[in-house]
């Protein structure tokens, strides 16, 4: 288990230092801001949704290592996926960081499982889930238009 924890730490640090999909998105058609006042994390998430699929997603902002790594991993995970699938991942991710999951769900979340440890630290749960709440808001702001095209 400690090897796994070390691996998880490495993934989080790597995404914190070199976040993926960081910066403005040229073709964005939806965006939202997210704040976690408890920790001071601030994020904006931009999405480009076409035909119900997340063609592009990027984030900007500043915050702790966990919020930043989570945003980086989130964008990697949902890019190219249908909106419905991204929302399902959000639900699974939320369940994982709040109540824990069974191994099967942890497997389906892939790399996102690196955050399963935060459920032991309630104050960090919001850091880990901020990016997902912000993505959800960005997709909502986009409304149903993208999925009904
Ligand atoms: Zn934080």
């Amino acid at each position: 288990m400690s090897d796994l924890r070390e691996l998880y730490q490495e993934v989080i640090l790597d995404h914190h230092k070199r976040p993926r999909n960081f910066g403005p998105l040229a073709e964005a058609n939806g965006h939202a801001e997210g704040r976690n006042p408890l920790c001071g994390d601030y994020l904006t998430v931009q999405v480009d949704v076409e035909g119900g699929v997340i063609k592009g997603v990027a984030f900007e902002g500043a915050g702790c290592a966990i919020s930043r790594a989570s945003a980086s991993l989130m964008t990697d995970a949902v890019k190219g996926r249908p909106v419905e699938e991204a929302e399902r991942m959000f639900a699974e991710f939320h369940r994982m960081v709040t109540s824990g999951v069974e191994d099967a769900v942890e497997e389906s979340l892939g790399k996102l499982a690196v955050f399963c440890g935060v459920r032991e630290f309630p104050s960090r749960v919001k850091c880990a889930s901020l990016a997902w709440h912000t993505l959800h808001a960005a997709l909502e702001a986009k409304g149903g238009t993208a999925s009904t095209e």
Side-chain angles (χ1 to χ4, degrees):
M1 189 63 203
S2 67
D3 285 353
L4 194 60
R5 269 169 200 267
E6 269 171 37
L7 175 72
Y8 285 178
Q9 286 287 349
E10 266 175 42
V11 172
I12 290 171
L13 282 175
D14 176 46
H15 279 261
H16 167 57
K17 282 187 194 147
R18 292 181 294 121
R20 321 306 195 256
N21 308 301
F22 186 81
L25 190 66
E27 307 275 314
N29 57 13
H31 79 278
E33 294 181 11
R35 281 174 202 278
N36 174 20
L38 281 178
C39 178
D41 307 318
Y42 169 75
L43 288 176
T44 59
V45 171
Q46 289 183 298
V47 290
D48 173 26
V49 179
E50 281 164 47
V53 172
I54 302 171
K55 297 270 183 195
V57 55
F59 79 102
E60 292 179 279
C64 66
I66 290 183
S67 70
R68 204 167 141 99
S70 180
S72 173
L73 280 153
M74 179 277 286
T75 55
D76 254 4
V78 303
K79 200 170 180 178
R81 287 186 193 264
V83 170
E84 279 172 23
E85 217 178 304
E87 294 285 9
R88 190 179 49 75
M89 290 173 89
F90 170 45
E92 283 185 5
F93 184 87
H94 195 254
R95 205 161 54 232
M96 175 182 75
V97 296
T98 52
S99 56
V101 283
E102 285 153 33
D103 292 347
V105 180
E106 199 167 317
E107 250 166 54
S108 82
L109 283 170
K111 273 190 181 174
L112 299 172
V114 299
F115 295 103
C116 66
V118 303
R119 66 176 175 263
E120 290 163 36
F121 309 95
S123 63
R124 310 303 283 183
V125 168
K126 288 190 174 169
C127 301
S129 54
L130 177 65
W132 288 91
H133 283 287
T134 312
L135 171 74
H136 177 69
L139 293 172
E140 290 263 290
K142 175 72 191 125
T145 51
S147 54
T148 54
E149 269 173 6

